[in-house]
Amino acid sequence: MKSLKITSCQAPNLEVVCCAIADYIGAHLQLPQQVQIEFVNDIAWQERFRQLDAGHIHVAWICGAHYVRRIDKMCTGKAESNIELLAAPVWQSERYQDRPVYFSDIVVHQASFFRSFADLHGATWAYNEPGSLSGYEVMRYYLNTLGKPLNFFGKLIESGAHQQSLQMILARQADVAAIDSTMLEQELSTYPAIASQIRTIDVIGPNPMPPWVIALNVPAEIRSAMRSLLTTMHEEIVGRAILAQVSIVRFAPMTDSDYDPVRTMLRMAAAIP
């Protein structure tokens, strides 16, 4: 292994902190002298997943649904085990209660007549991509809990990213989107004027935070050291300052069973008419 490659398959507005975390890892992780840390952000997120699956990318921040699908394929013998959990970030806001969780905020345009989820019958729903928990599967899961079919919505549009879904609402090209709360908070921090143009009419969650994972082709001692480094970086001044860029308080250790709620949601989402 000549380089240890790190990437993010989360929203682009969180990549700055991911790059800074990669630099922090490079500065503090004891690696063989010939091994360098490389942050990969010059390819599409779909290719990042392909390279993670192939073992060419070694560390990634991925959606909980993508993690569960990969692990469960491995457990059923449909694929070889190639990743394991590292940790998951804990966000600062009071709504997260110092837990590695997040929400899907159901967002509409401020000027729309929608006041509740029931008002959305026949509306145009923009979702980021069909593999996403926060933007797609949670909405199908929620429809199931309400006893409503997928054609409750009049039209579905795949936007390609949470930020694109948000822009479609602002441009009145879509009526509603389920937006990852951490991504939305970061976007509103960068562009505060957006806050007056949207409304949150419902919230789904809390759900387990998207995890950082590591490939099993990385030596066990490096995997262990990186897990320890992430879960303690908030105890060090530089590490704490890096995390604070996007209101992360710390990384929390995670186990596979922490993602059982995601499994339940995916089963319920798949069962919707």
Side-chain angles (χ1 to χ4, degrees):
M1 186 171 63
K2 295 181 179 180
S3 65
L4 195 150
K5 296 184 178 181
I6 301 175
T7 198
S8 169
C9 297
Q10 295 298 101
N13 67 356
L14 297 173
E15 282 195 0
V16 171
V17 73
C18 294
C19 183
I21 291 171
D23 289 341
Y24 182 87
I25 290 170
H28 292 79
L29 191 64
Q30 298 299 313
L31 292 170
Q33 190 171 7
Q34 72 276 13
V35 178
Q36 302 295 316
I37 296 289
E38 179 183 347
F39 184 68
V40 179
N41 65 346
D42 58 350
I43 55 177
W45 62 264
Q46 296 93 333
E47 179 60 24
R48 299 182 201 191
F49 270 121
R50 283 191 284 270
Q51 292 197 23
L52 175 66
D53 292 338
H56 302 316
I57 284 178
H58 307 100
V59 177
W61 188 13
I62 66 174
C63 170
H66 283 287
Y67 163 75
V68 163
R69 293 188 189 104
R70 282 162 172 76
I71 292 297
D72 289 358
K73 273 188 177 181
M74 299 166 196
C75 292
T76 57
K78 295 180 180 178
E80 292 185 8
S81 177
N82 69 335
I83 59 171
E84 67 180 18
L85 291 169
L86 278 174
V90 176
W91 244 254
Q92 185 174 27
S93 172
E94 184 178 348
R95 73 189 301 199
Y96 304 108
Q97 298 183 337
D98 196 37
R99 299 164 57 203
V101 298
Y102 74 106
F103 300 83
S104 287
D105 291 331
I106 311 303
V107 173
V108 300
H109 196 281
Q110 175 65 38
S112 74
F113 68 85
F114 306 112
R115 292 294 183 271
S116 69
F117 197 93
D119 295 336
L120 296 172
H121 185 264
T124 297
W125 165 30
Y127 62 92
N128 54 336
E129 57 98 3
S132 167
L133 182 69
S134 59
Y136 183 72
E137 298 288 17
V138 292
M139 194 75 99
R140 297 206 302 159
Y141 154 80
Y142 198 46
L143 288 171
N144 187 317
T145 66
L146 298 174
K148 298 184 183 299
L150 191 59
N151 63 10
F152 170 81
F153 293 107
K155 184 178 180 181
L156 280 65
I157 302 174
E158 182 178 349
S159 69
H162 278 304
Q163 287 160 296
Q164 287 299 109
S165 296
L166 184 60
Q167 287 303 314
M168 292 183 73
I169 290 174
L170 293 173
R172 308 303 292 271
Q173 297 169 343
D175 296 316
V176 63
I179 306 289
D180 180 317
S181 60
T182 61
M183 173 270 158
L184 182 59
E185 288 172 13
Q186 182 61 23
E187 196 75 351
L188 294 179
S189 174
T190 305
Y191 306 105
I194 293 176
S196 64
Q197 301 175 57
I198 60 172
R199 276 185 290 111
T200 298
I201 61 169
D202 210 336
V203 177
I204 305 173
N207 302 312
M209 176 63 71
W212 283 56
V213 299
I214 189 165
L216 294 182
N217 62 359
V218 177
E221 62 272 17
I222 295 179
R223 302 200 309 267
S224 177
M226 186 172 295
R227 187 174 294 108
S228 177
L229 183 62
L230 285 177
T231 55
T232 59
M233 69 179 291
H234 66 286
E235 299 173 1
E236 196 265 338
I237 294 175
V238 173
R240 192 159 56 246
I242 289 171
L243 298 178
Q245 292 179 39
V246 293
S247 300
I248 297 175
V249 176
R250 60 186 175 90
F251 276 96
M254 304 295 284
T255 65
D256 182 69
S257 63
D258 290 325
Y259 292 89
D260 284 346
V262 176
R263 293 180 169 93
T264 298
M265 295 175 73
L266 292 180
R267 284 194 297 270
M268 292 182 65
I272 189 173

